[in-house]
Amino acid sequence: MRKQAKSWLIKFLIGIIAIVFIFYFGYSFTARQGLKIAYVNGEVISGIEYQKEYHDLLEGLRRQYKQIWNDNLIKVFDLKNRALENIINKKLISKEAKKLGLDVTESEVQKAIMDYPAFQVNGQFHMGRYQALLSNNRMKPEDFEASMGNQLLDGKIKQFLFSFMEVTDREVLEHYTFANEKVKISFVQFKPDIYKKSIRPDQASMEEFFKKSRESYRVPEKIKIAWLELDPKAFREQVKIEDKEIEGDYEYRMDTFKEPHKVKARHILFKLSEDATEEKEKEVRNIAKGVLEEAQKGKDFAGLAGKYSEGPTKTKGGDLGYFQAGQMDKNFEDAAFKLKKGEISDLVRTRFGYHIIKVDDIKEERAKPLEEVRDQIAEGLITNASTELAHEKGLTLIDQMPYEADLSKYAAEHNLKVQYTGYFSQTEAIEGIGGTDTLRQSIFALEGKETSELVELEGKFYLFQVLDRKASYVPELDEVATKVKETLIVDLAAKKARAAAENFLAELDKGKSWNELAKQKKKETEKTDFFSRREPVPKLGNVQGLQEAVFGLSQDKKYPDTIFENDLGAYVITWEAYKGIDETEYLKEKEKYRMSLMQVKHKTAFENWLLDLRKNAEVEIVTSVTER
């Protein structure tokens, strides 16, 4: 249609289609807008409100998924019900706000918009920027203002709810202690592998095991697809770049070809923490002064750096290479950029310690000449143009493709080659492509012979079509007999390891000594380092329930009431030692933990408040949104 856009026949057909849309779909749309979707405490949710919320959610997901989006994902995300739930919540919040006497005025909305950083130029609200950004995001000013009003109202409600909510010092201490206290344990391991060789499952035990766990052998839904790749590299020969294009691009992007002011420097670092004592600082400073005097007398700076520096560049004579503003500590930069070539700084204090800096070279700011970047510009223009040609080719293929066309036959008609995959599930990589979880989710949502939209992936463009689909099913035992046998052996071996561990723990409970029992059972005892609740248990990793249990042990109760298991075996543990929090570190991080705890309390309080509103609300669904 793009090629025949000026044809009188095309214009006539479009006119007929427009009339049909106006008289049929136009009426239908108006009718839908006028529907009553639901009542919330007697207040109606109209079709117009619902359509807007649904559209906003839909556009948000389209922007997120970009070319991978297809309309079948609407069902996957349950978008229609989500839109309705959002409106119900907004109605409840708005009504409750009125009861509380909370409101948002036009002047408050106006001020919030004018203070919005994205709409400011040089610290001042800029109407042009405001209109341009809304236009780019396909948003009307009145819609954005309404959204801003809702945000402000939401903020006022939260301020009201949280105004009397505090986090006490005791709560902070308990929260910090819970996260940072540490324990050390010992353990013995009972490995299932040592029992596997003796296990010989018979057919009856396999059948019984499979009957109990057959759902775990379910084969997921799988599809086989055809895919067409449009690689911009294949279009490079069609691109011809003229000198005037290169010159024009150079002038347009002149700022990108500027090289900033740079210095090449060496340094000698004397490490000193920011919270060092005066005595320690004086000690380090005196050492640094002595080295500085040697450098100022003309001693080889690189040699001094190799001898005295405590930084990672010590082995390179303190060489930092070239750097520009914004790449180093500000105090370090300020000193380095004031030096002339060959000059040595006085002592410079940063958060790392004391530095002595020597500038080896200086590169002044300059704009790279056209000839120096000509090839770079040409390559960029060719890449952009070939990518655009590949993209346009893909769009043309989609425009001209008949409904439910066979992708392989259609591609052959256009002298293009289609590639095929075997069957794969949604969690498996696409053969020859790989792809993301999002891409596979989108492809699995295609129906029948539907072809995907043009998808861009790692600089290439693709069309996908599902050729066949195998539904998920639970196989018969014969189909998975080998796997069932292997799993049963593992399961029985794990049970034997578990029984041995439980027996070990039972003997401990009877009063036997840990060391004597371990020696008797020929078990090696292993010890961990100290660890907190936030860390995996050293040597054990993640073992379900272990951390909760060990932090409940003490000198008076050294053994838990149960054993623990993971894929590597069963474990019996014993408490070794406890380490409390570091008071100095607690004081440093106290306010950070207070803020974290406050955020959790606020979030929980708001969710519970909204849940309570919903429980006590009268919600009547008049029109099913899932059938619309």
Side-chain angles (χ1 to χ4, degrees), residues 476-508:
E476 296 300 323
L477 176 58
D478 292 346
E479 189 178 337
V480 288
T482 301
K483 188 175 179 181
V484 170
K485 183 178 180 180
E486 290 172 354
T487 308
L488 178 56
I489 290 173
V490 169
D491 183 69
L492 293 174
K495 286 179 179 177
K496 289 195 173 188
R498 185 186 310 134
E502 287 171 342
N503 177 261
F504 190 97
L505 182 59
E507 293 194 49
L508 287 173

Side-chain angles (χ1 to χ4, degrees), residues 268-270 287 291 294 303-311 314:
I268 305 171
L269 170 63
F270 304 88
I287 295 171
V291 177
E294 290 187 59
L304 291 172
K307 184 177 180 180
Y308 295 106
S309 183
E310 298 176 290
K314 174 179 180 174

Side-chain angles (χ1 to χ4, degrees), residues 34-60:
L35 285 174
K36 294 177 181 178
I37 305 298
Y39 286 96
V40 181
N41 291 330
E43 185 178 356
V44 70
I45 294 176
S46 69
I48 295 174
E49 285 179 283
Y50 175 78
Q51 288 293 338
K52 182 183 181 307
E53 183 68 29
Y54 175 76
H55 178 268
D56 289 346
L57 280 177
L58 182 60
E59 285 302 307

Side-chain angles (χ1 to χ4, degrees), residues 145-414:
E145 288 160 16
S147 174
M148 182 63 74
N150 287 333
Q151 286 183 35
L152 292 174
L153 184 60
D154 190 59
K156 286 187 176 185
I157 289 172
K158 287 179 178 177
Q159 186 178 12
F160 174 83
L161 291 174
F162 308 151
S163 58
F164 302 106
M165 191 176 293
E166 295 181 355
V167 175
T168 65
D169 285 349
R170 182 179 181 82
E171 287 176 309
V172 178
L173 179 59
E174 289 175 352
H175 185 52
Y176 184 87
T177 301
F178 184 84
N180 293 280
E181 63 182 344
K182 296 184 176 184
V183 295
K184 181 192 289 186
I185 62 170
S186 292
F187 65 91
V188 291
Q189 180 184 16
F190 295 81
K191 298 179 180 179
D193 288 350
I194 64 175
Y195 302 101
K196 284 183 180 178
K197 292 181 181 178
S198 63
I199 298 174
R200 298 284 185 274
D202 56 25
Q203 185 66 22
S205 61
M206 284 180 60
E207 288 175 358
E208 182 182 357
F209 180 75
F210 180 68
K211 185 177 180 180
K212 291 178 180 178
S213 59
R214 64 182 298 158
E215 188 61 35
S216 65
Y217 296 93
R218 175 175 288 279
V219 177
E221 179 187 28
K222 294 190 176 185
I223 59 173
K224 179 167 64 175
I225 66 171
W227 53 276
L228 174 63
E229 177 186 279
L230 295 168
D231 189 343
K233 291 179 181 177
F235 295 81
R236 287 177 68 90
E237 292 183 2
Q238 300 178 33
V239 179
K240 303 297 179 187
I241 302 297
E242 303 290 338
D243 284 345
K244 62 182 180 180
E245 293 179 75
I246 295 174
E247 291 165 5
D249 190 66
Y250 176 77
E251 291 177 5
Y252 180 72
R253 298 193 297 123
M254 180 72 75
D255 287 345
T256 64
F257 301 118
K258 283 183 179 178
E259 283 192 341
H261 180 202
K262 293 181 179 181
V263 298
K264 185 175 187 291
R266 296 176 185 273
H267 80 137
I268 305 171
L269 170 63
F270 304 88
K271 285 187 176 179
L272 183 67
S273 63
E274 290 183 282
D275 58 352
T277 62
E278 288 185 21
E279 184 180 349
K280 181 65 176 176
E281 180 157 6
K282 186 177 180 181
E283 177 191 336
V284 173
R285 184 178 178 85
N286 286 336
I287 295 171
K289 274 187 175 181
V291 177
L292 175 61
E293 288 173 6
E294 290 187 59
Q296 289 172 337
K297 288 176 182 177
K299 279 205 173 183
D300 179 54
F301 195 91
L304 291 172
K307 184 177 180 180
Y308 295 106
S309 183
E310 298 176 290
T313 60
K314 174 179 180 174
T315 56
K316 298 190 294 181
D319 188 7
L320 294 166
Y322 286 96
F323 57 88
Q324 63 192 57
Q327 292 183 308
M328 298 289 183
D329 180 277
K330 188 174 187 308
N331 291 344
F332 188 96
E333 276 183 8
D334 289 346
F337 279 96
K338 287 177 183 177
L339 297 174
K340 295 178 182 178
K341 183 176 178 179
E343 283 188 338
I344 297 173
S345 72
D346 198 347
L347 295 185
V348 178
R349 182 72 162 97
T350 72
R351 57 195 172 96
F352 303 106
Y354 281 107
H355 306 255
I356 303 170
I357 306 168
K358 181 183 179 183
V359 170
D360 287 344
D361 192 22
I362 297 174
K363 285 184 178 180
E364 299 296 343
E365 182 180 346
R366 73 175 186 118
K368 293 180 182 179
L370 174 59
E371 291 310 312
E372 191 175 326
V373 295
R374 179 179 290 276
D375 291 345
Q376 176 188 337
I377 294 173
E379 178 60 29
L381 290 173
I382 291 170
T383 299
N384 290 341
S386 57
T387 300
E388 183 58 34
L389 286 173
H391 184 253
E392 182 64 23
K393 178 68 174 178
L395 293 178
T396 301
L397 287 171
I398 291 174
D399 286 349
Q400 296 176 357
M401 185 183 297
Y403 182 66
E404 291 194 343
D406 184 302
L407 185 60
S408 57
K409 292 180 181 178
Y410 181 68
E413 292 171 4
H414 290 80

Side-chain angles (χ1 to χ4, degrees), residues 498-534:
R498 185 186 310 134
E502 287 171 342
N503 177 261
F504 190 97
L505 182 59
E507 293 194 49
L508 287 173
D509 288 340
K510 291 175 182 177
K512 284 198 175 183
S513 160
W514 175 280
N515 291 330
E516 289 179 5
L517 188 57
K519 186 176 180 180
Q520 178 188 329
K521 300 287 186 182
K522 297 180 180 180
K523 286 293 176 183
E524 181 184 351
T525 298
E526 294 188 64
K527 288 186 178 181
T528 71
D529 294 327
F530 281 103
F531 60 92
S532 70
R533 287 181 174 87
R534 297 183 297 178

Side-chain angles (χ1 to χ4, degrees), residues 52-103:
K52 182 183 181 307
E53 183 68 29
Y54 175 76
H55 178 268
D56 289 346
L57 280 177
L58 182 60
E59 285 302 307
L61 283 171
R62 279 176 173 162
R63 283 194 295 270
Q64 180 183 342
Y65 278 70
K66 297 180 180 177
Q67 296 95 340
I68 297 172
W69 175 263
N70 70 69
D71 286 344
N72 296 320
L73 290 173
I74 292 171
K75 294 180 182 177
V76 174
F77 289 114
D78 194 21
L79 214 57
K80 293 182 177 181
N81 282 320
R82 280 175 61 185
L84 181 57
E85 286 299 312
N86 284 357
I87 300 175
I88 291 171
N89 288 340
K90 287 177 182 177
K91 293 282 186 186
L92 293 173
I93 291 171
S94 177
K95 191 162 187 177
E96 194 65 18
K98 289 177 181 176
K99 286 182 182 178
L100 297 171
L102 301 176
D103 196 10

